[in-house]
Amino acid sequence: MRRLITLLWTLVTVLAVSAQIRGNSIAVSVVPDHQDWKYDVGETATFKVSVTRSNTLIDNVTVDYAAGPEMYQDVKKTGVVLKDGTLTLKGKMTKPGFYRVDVTARVDGKEYKGACGAAFSPEQLQPSTLMPQDFAAFWQNAVSEARKTPLNPTRRLLPERCTEDVNVYEVSFQNMHPNFRTYGILCVPVKPGKYPAMLRVPGAGVRPYGGDVYSASQGVITLEIGIHGIPVTMEQKVYDDVFNGALMNYWETGMDDRDKSYYKRVVIGCIRANDYIEQYTEWNGQGLAVTGSSQGGFLTLATAALDKRVTCYAPVHAALCDHTASLKGVACGWPHYFYWNKGKGEEKKIEVSRYYDGVNFARLITDKQKGWFSFGYNDDVVPPTTAWATYNTVKGPKEISPYQATWHFWFQEQWDEWENWLLKTLKN
């Protein structure tokens, strides 16, 4: 017993110590001279660079930096010595877009990075992608064909995840054809009644899901889905093995044929998820939200566009938007299909990409659907150029809340604002 107590105490101590490791003593800061990081085309932005240790400047630190339009920076310097740990840079844009400064400092043999993306007249940004004439018809037909396959749902209670206020289930239902299933975590308020509902769609990758218990505890039915046709409650190693094997670079699969693209069944699965909510939960038939980040931001736009049951939607740093921008030398959305080879020899893929571009889905969103958009100006995965251009495309009621200093991650305040907006909008 004494050995067991000692072992447990040691484990707790180790975990406590490891949990205290946070951040770095050394930081690279790149700050613009406008508080909102916004400028008019033709203005000059001034960037203050500082490299600090324990919040004090480091003398004679060596840095490399790159500056210019994001993804197409044309100013690059290496081995610049900052005598007092500071540097001032300037930049401007002659057309709407983002001017990005990246700085890498080398201290004690390690690299530390900082960046700043300044917006120039972002409200004027327009996407490059063209909308195929049969875009809406293609997707309407795909949804109609999928609905010929019955959902045939399953539901399994997960007692270890339930709370006194929320019941949690792993569910599945058929997607485009028999025996291909979509899996997810359904969270339902215990108290009997009819509730608004929220579909949560995933970012890129392969992983298990925990479900949105918190929103369910606030009186909202939530369904968080996976997209790969496998259960979402297995050990992480299973997903790692699949991601590094059969599903490696799945976003590239079938992109030369609009009917064979991996994302066709993914998008359809989101619509079928709403079918499941409507037919097999205590949804009130009124408020229905969809939300997700990165790849999930794209799926949010697609679901809202194709499903008019959706009353509100909230994409965060939405990926897969404006694929063809790079063909014109402008920052393009993840996964940057045509950035590296300028689209040479990929005419068919370019054509197909338009059916899987978040911008074209955004064009179908109606004035009866409320939107909330958020992203970071420092995001080097989903460029803010594409995020703003996509936002500008939407004709219906919308709000925008950029968190400029974020990269491809969330700030806590951003998360709280997103969550509060969804709950408030669903219940009004």
Side-chain angles (χ1 to χ4, degrees), residues 214-235:
Y214 173 76
S215 295
S217 73
Q218 303 302 301
V220 175
I221 296 168
T222 64
L223 176 57
E224 182 177 32
I225 61 170
I227 63 170
H228 300 297
I230 56 178
V232 293
T233 55
M234 299 183 290
E235 294 181 359

Side-chain angles (χ1 to χ4, degrees), residues 150-169:
L151 290 172
N152 286 350
T154 67
R155 180 184 293 201
R156 179 172 68 91
L157 183 69
L158 303 174
E160 69 281 4
R161 301 192 188 187
C162 297
T163 70
E164 63 178 346
D165 300 316
V166 178
N167 286 327
V168 182
Y169 307 86

Side-chain angles (χ1 to χ4, degrees), residues 374-413:
S374 190
F375 46 88
Y377 286 4
N378 284 349
D379 197 334
D380 56 354
V381 177
V382 173
T385 294
T386 67
W388 260 104
T390 303
Y391 173 81
N392 292 341
T393 300
V394 175
K395 299 295 192 297
K398 57 187 179 181
E399 300 176 35
I400 190 168
S401 184
Y403 280 73
Q404 289 87 345
T406 59
W407 293 52
H408 202 58
F409 56 75
W410 302 63
F411 281 153
Q412 184 63 54
E413 295 86 350

